[in-house]
Amino acid sequence: MNQSNVYIGLTSEDLRLRLHILTVFLIIFGLTALYSISDNPLSIESSFMRQSIFMIFSFIIYLLVRRIHLKVIHDNSTIIFLFTIGLCFIPFFLPKVEYTYRWIDLGFMTIQPSEYLKIGVIIVIAKYLSNHQLEMKTTSIILIPGLLTLFASIVVLQQPDLGTAVIVCAPLIPMLLWAGVNAFVLFLVIAPIITIVAASNSILFSVWAVIMFLCFLVARPGVISGFILYFANIFAGLLTPFAWNILTDYQKQRVLTFLNPDLDPMGSAYHIIQSVTAIGSGGFFGKGFQQGSQTQLKFLPVQESDFILSVIAEEFGFLGIVVVMAVFFLFIKTLLDIAFRCSDYFSSIVIIGLASIFLSHLFVNAAMTVGLIPVKGLPLPFVSAGGSFLLSCFIMLGLITNLSENS
């Protein structure tokens, strides 16, 4: 990909510098919010101090990842994927933590291996796509990436962790699109998801069935294959009630509470209600540093990680949220610019996949805090507290920097 005429006067080094400056801004936002809500910020037990310590450790890992040769990453992508999958199986043999099998306790810290599985899936799919460039227009190109993604998401779902399982799947379509996969092939990936969602309403399902039929007519995939694919999607919709039964009780409750928070205002809906209250009370300029009532009085739960945006909104107002979102927008745009400048096919696909992870976390976390989607427990990159997730963010940043420098 030679795009030298697109970025006149803007080098890859400039883009990397901009990326790191934006990352520092995000870290400052996060540490400021954590300092504000910590009762004793300088205590080793405070979220601010723990995050600061994790920051140092994560930065060291970032420097190490940045030094790994591109060929080593490419050639060992399958091993990386199997290693991260293996890590996700370890919690099943350990005692439950918070009623789930998501964590590995190392004594000095706990890690959530599914955070690193997201990276492993992206790397192995990028290698497969880069090794099959001549097959991008064929329908079969989605089979291996789709199965790898599905397998990884099922493993995470068994922990159970629905939010992370969704994030594992998020990069698949952007990576296929960036690799040049045929539009109809991408439609085949998206169609089952829309079918399952549409199956919740008979009229919506009927309309979608007609739209899907017209798409198959336009694409003309072949009579037999088209017939099989069309009715496979219809069958997936009919199985939606069974898919609902697969969800755990608390996952069902989250969905029902999202649709109607009044069902349980002091239970599963409490998080959303307190988050929206905190955001609304901040107004345009906010209540000021350490002046938020919802946050300082601890009415807002999990405010150091899942609802960190609510803290920023209450104390710095709408203006503070606009600044944070603007930095994130520039951050994602810079990642796309870096991917566009990469001359190495494998590197550009990996960067697009990692950009999708960052964007997915941003979207889900922001939408969750204002009640647009059910509570998923997904933190905000570089801002939310959490050593395991912070480490994964720095690993992704190290990979992006590494691949940009060596491609």
Side-chain angles (χ1 to χ4, degrees), residues 79-122:
I79 296 176
I80 294 172
F81 172 71
L82 293 176
F83 175 73
T84 53
I85 279 285
L87 283 179
C88 288
F89 277 104
I90 293 177
F92 291 106
F93 300 96
L94 301 175
K96 285 186 176 182
V97 178
E98 297 180 358
Y99 306 104
T100 65
Y101 295 104
R102 303 180 189 178
W103 306 91
I104 300 176
D105 190 352
L106 299 179
F108 61 96
M109 69 175 291
T110 57
I111 65 169
Q112 187 175 358
S114 57
E115 294 292 349
Y116 314 109
L117 176 59
K118 294 182 290 190
I119 302 172
V121 172
I122 288 172

Side-chain angles (χ1 to χ4, degrees), residues 13-124:
E13 185 176 355
D14 295 330
L15 292 173
R16 289 192 294 272
L17 176 61
R18 188 170 75 182
L19 180 68
H20 288 88
I21 292 174
L22 293 171
T23 302
V24 170
F25 271 112
L26 292 175
I27 291 172
I28 291 174
F29 285 134
L31 290 177
T32 301
L34 292 175
Y35 187 93
S36 174
I37 62 177
S38 297
D39 295 329
N40 185 6
L42 300 183
S43 168
I44 193 65
E45 299 298 326
S46 70
S47 57
F48 170 79
M49 187 57 70
R50 291 202 308 269
Q51 186 79 342
S52 301
I53 295 173
F54 285 138
M55 198 78 65
I56 297 173
F57 175 71
S58 299
F59 182 71
I60 294 173
I61 299 299
Y62 157 81
L63 294 176
L64 294 176
V65 172
R66 188 171 173 173
R67 302 283 295 179
I68 302 174
H69 196 278
L70 170 62
K71 190 175 185 302
V72 174
I73 299 173
H74 177 275
D75 293 349
N76 294 282
S77 60
T78 303
I79 296 176
I80 294 172
F81 172 71
L82 293 176
F83 175 73
T84 53
I85 279 285
L87 283 179
C88 288
F89 277 104
I90 293 177
F92 291 106
F93 300 96
L94 301 175
K96 285 186 176 182
V97 178
E98 297 180 358
Y99 306 104
T100 65
Y101 295 104
R102 303 180 189 178
W103 306 91
I104 300 176
D105 190 352
L106 299 179
F108 61 96
M109 69 175 291
T110 57
I111 65 169
Q112 187 175 358
S114 57
E115 294 292 349
Y116 314 109
L117 176 59
K118 294 182 290 190
I119 302 172
V121 172
I122 288 172
I123 292 175
V124 74

Side-chain angles (χ1 to χ4, degrees), residues 161-368:
D161 190 351
L162 179 60
T164 303
V166 172
I167 297 297
V168 168
C169 299
L172 178 60
I173 293 176
M175 292 173 71
L176 292 174
L177 181 63
W178 188 265
V181 173
N182 185 278
F184 179 70
V185 176
L186 290 176
F187 170 77
L188 295 179
V189 177
I190 300 172
I193 302 173
I194 301 177
T195 302
I196 293 173
V197 174
S200 60
N201 182 281
S202 57
I203 296 177
L204 186 62
F205 184 70
S206 300
V207 172
W208 169 242
V210 173
I211 294 174
M212 189 165 49
F213 180 74
L214 294 175
C215 291
F216 274 87
L217 284 180
V218 173
R220 296 180 179 178
V223 177
I224 297 178
S225 60
F227 180 86
I228 294 174
L229 291 170
Y230 178 78
F231 282 99
N233 276 277
I234 297 296
F235 187 66
L238 297 176
L239 289 178
T240 300
F242 298 97
W244 172 258
N245 292 327
I246 293 176
L247 299 179
T248 62
D249 290 338
Y250 87 90
Q251 289 170 343
K252 293 178 182 178
Q253 187 62 38
R254 281 186 173 183
V255 175
L256 294 175
T257 301
F258 160 69
L259 297 174
N260 185 7
D262 293 332
L263 287 175
D264 191 11
M266 296 304 295
S268 55
Y270 182 80
H271 296 66
I272 296 176
I273 293 173
Q274 295 301 323
S275 175
V276 172
T277 301
I279 293 172
S281 65
F284 189 84
F285 293 105
K287 294 181 176 180
F289 182 64
Q290 292 186 323
Q291 299 302 312
S293 57
Q294 299 296 115
T295 54
Q296 296 301 319
L297 297 177
K298 311 304 179 186
F299 288 120
L300 181 64
V302 207
Q303 55 185 329
E304 72 280 358
S305 56
D306 297 352
F307 293 97
I308 194 74
L309 271 180
S310 303
V311 176
I312 296 173
E314 185 177 32
E315 298 196 351
F316 302 102
F318 176 76
L319 186 61
I321 290 296
V322 168
V323 173
V324 173
M325 288 301 170
V327 173
F328 266 114
F329 171 79
L330 290 174
F331 182 86
I332 299 298
K333 184 181 182 301
T334 303
L335 293 181
L336 297 179
D337 292 341
I338 291 174
F340 207 70
R341 288 295 301 267
C342 281
S343 58
D344 179 67
Y345 195 58
F346 168 77
S347 299
S348 66
I349 298 175
V350 170
I351 293 174
I352 287 298
L354 297 177
S356 301
I357 293 292
F358 282 120
L359 182 60
S360 298
H361 269 273
L362 172 62
F363 171 78
V364 172
N365 184 274
M368 175 186 69

